[in-house]
Amino acid sequence: MSLITQEIAEAVVHEIGSEMDYHINLMDEHAVIIASTDRKRIGMKHEGALRILREGIEELPIEEDDATETTRIGTNLAIHYQKSIVGVIGITGPREEVQQFGKIVRRMTEVLLEESLRQSTGILNRRIVYRFVDEWLRTEEVLNNASLVERGKALGMDVRLPRRCFVIRYQQAEELNRTLEGQRIMGKMDRFIRTQLKGSKDTVYYHQATDQYCFVPAVSDDLLLERIHLWQRQIRHLFHQELFVAYDSDEKGTLRIQDAFQEAEQALACCTLDRPILGYGELSLELVLNEVSAVQAGNYLYKLFRTKDTQKWREWMTLIALYFQYGGAITKMAEESYIHKNTLQYRLKKLALQTGMDIRRPTGAAHFYIAKELYTKYFH
């Protein structure tokens, strides 16, 4: 398998070629041009590169008399990786002009190659870890699975250690995913979070779609939240983005990481702009409401308000949201909405007449709170 892949070669040629007025060619260990600013030459066998690779020559200038159909005037230099020649970089142009750039271009190529290989190795290693975690999440009896335990050890993970789970999602993930610039920002944030986790012993990082899962050794909610709030501030400062973060309920950790994973997922589904950080242990009504479909929610609101007019629902919801925001304090509600207290009292009575439920009584308050949550989830 070639060390210099097509993807890496094109990235290197694009990066260097954009800074020069000469054509750049990159040849692999077989002397085949695999990337070039002159697209017509890709796929050709380069005779000069072949000589460099066979004879171990560091640089091979090409004069007019030496030029062939596949080898143009210019200079070609061996590319080294870990003290071995792994390819050749060529610059096409008058020899006396391009030769002065040769060593600089070669060093740039080697630096870019090293960085690309490092990133490729990192991506490959993460894929291996993710596949292992996929299997781990499907394993019921971890301690009875000797193969899983041993493979975990080989990857630096002790699956016999009780862990908790928290999950991170960027609030603007869908919007960011629509553009290359947005994807670039998410990539930077992903790398930032992975970097923060590097020093955390026995922590396992797992990525799925736009969500980042972290399995950490048993830790209290207070210490977990301390870390989460720090990351929240750092992401906001560095990238001007906000996070949704959800975590499981067991401070002692569990060997069944699938349970912690599911709790964190369910809590994430209940995160809102008002409650961007949420623990599974804080959920009660949210879990019930999460099982209600849009059709069921619509039927509930129709029966409560005795109308299918969603405009009417929206008007009532403004009043209901205001009531719960200020705990039914009429004076504060009136100040916030710039209307007289008597007008507010009248509207609350009208709501009671319309629905047969008084929001100021415990039973009525429960019905209207559920209505508010369902409306926000499906119709807001």
Side-chain angles (χ1 to χ4, degrees), residues 177-189:
N177 232 350
R178 292 192 193 107
T179 65
L180 288 174
E181 177 61 18
Q183 291 170 20
R184 187 183 65 79
I185 291 171
M186 283 206 295
K188 284 187 174 182
M189 291 191 290

Side-chain angles (χ1 to χ4, degrees), residues 88-345:
V88 177
I89 186 79
I91 313 173
T92 302
R95 186 185 63 78
E96 64 276 7
E97 292 182 23
V98 301
Q99 201 164 11
Q100 61 182 314
F101 301 116
K103 291 182 180 178
I104 297 173
V105 168
R106 171 165 60 189
R107 186 58 193 143
M108 286 175 65
T109 302
E110 290 172 345
V111 168
L112 289 169
L113 175 61
E114 288 168 9
E115 175 62 17
S116 296
L117 289 171
R118 186 188 65 77
Q119 289 185 11
S120 297
T121 301
I123 291 170
L124 178 61
N125 289 340
R126 285 197 296 277
R127 285 176 180 167
I128 292 170
V129 169
Y130 296 167
R131 282 198 295 270
F132 177 79
V133 175
D134 282 335
E135 183 180 347
W136 187 5
L137 285 166
R138 295 192 301 269
T139 302
E140 292 294 329
E141 298 292 338
V142 171
L143 297 181
N144 293 334
N145 193 320
S147 172
L148 188 80
V149 172
E150 288 305 312
R151 283 186 290 123
K153 281 183 182 178
L155 292 171
M157 290 179 279
D158 185 355
V159 301
R160 300 165 302 178
L161 184 69
R163 286 182 171 84
R164 303 193 63 180
C165 177
F166 65 92
V167 55
I168 298 168
R169 178 184 294 168
Y170 308 121
Q171 291 186 13
Q172 301 298 321
E174 287 188 15
E175 182 180 328
L176 290 170
N177 232 350
R178 292 192 193 107
T179 65
L180 288 174
E181 177 61 18
Q183 291 170 20
R184 187 183 65 79
I185 291 171
M186 283 206 295
K188 284 187 174 182
M189 291 191 290
D190 288 353
R191 286 192 292 276
F192 171 80
I193 289 171
R194 287 200 305 273
T195 301
Q196 298 304 305
L197 287 168
K198 277 184 179 177
S200 303
K201 191 174 184 300
D202 294 315
T203 292
V204 177
Y205 175 88
Y206 175 69
H207 200 289
Q208 191 178 82
T210 57
D211 298 338
Q212 299 175 81
Y213 295 85
C214 305
F215 298 96
V216 298
V219 62
S220 69
D221 283 351
D222 288 342
L223 288 176
L224 188 63
L225 284 168
E226 187 178 314
R227 179 188 296 185
I228 289 169
H229 285 301
L230 173 62
W231 289 358
Q232 183 186 46
R233 291 192 299 271
Q234 290 173 325
I235 291 290
R236 184 182 295 142
H237 173 71
L238 294 171
F239 304 104
H240 310 293
Q241 296 292 322
E242 297 292 338
L243 303 176
F244 285 131
V245 187
Y247 54 96
D248 71 328
S249 63
D250 193 346
E251 296 189 29
K252 295 179 181 178
T254 177
L255 291 177
R256 287 179 51 82
I257 63 166
Q258 58 266 55
D259 292 344
F261 177 89
Q262 288 170 3
E263 286 190 357
E265 276 199 320
Q266 286 183 289
L268 182 66
C270 298
C271 283
T272 64
L273 294 177
D274 294 330
R275 300 175 75 189
I277 299 175
L278 197 57
Y280 183 84
E282 300 174 59
L283 305 182
S284 51
L285 179 61
E286 288 92 343
L287 290 176
V288 176
L289 295 180
N290 221 34
E291 299 300 318
V292 177
S293 69
V295 173
Q296 291 169 327
N299 287 336
Y300 183 89
L301 294 171
Y302 162 60
K303 289 179 181 178
L304 178 64
F305 294 117
R306 301 175 182 177
T307 177
K308 292 185 177 180
D309 187 345
T310 56
Q311 176 62 35
K312 292 292 184 183
W313 294 358
R314 183 162 55 250
E315 291 170 4
W316 287 124
M317 282 303 162
T318 302
L319 176 63
I320 292 166
L322 189 67
Y323 181 90
F324 286 114
Q325 182 179 354
Y326 292 100
I330 297 298
T331 300
K332 290 183 179 179
M333 290 170 64
E335 290 174 356
E336 175 64 22
S337 55
Y338 302 103
I339 58 177
H340 196 275
K341 289 189 292 183
N342 291 344
T343 305
L344 263 178
Q345 296 280 17

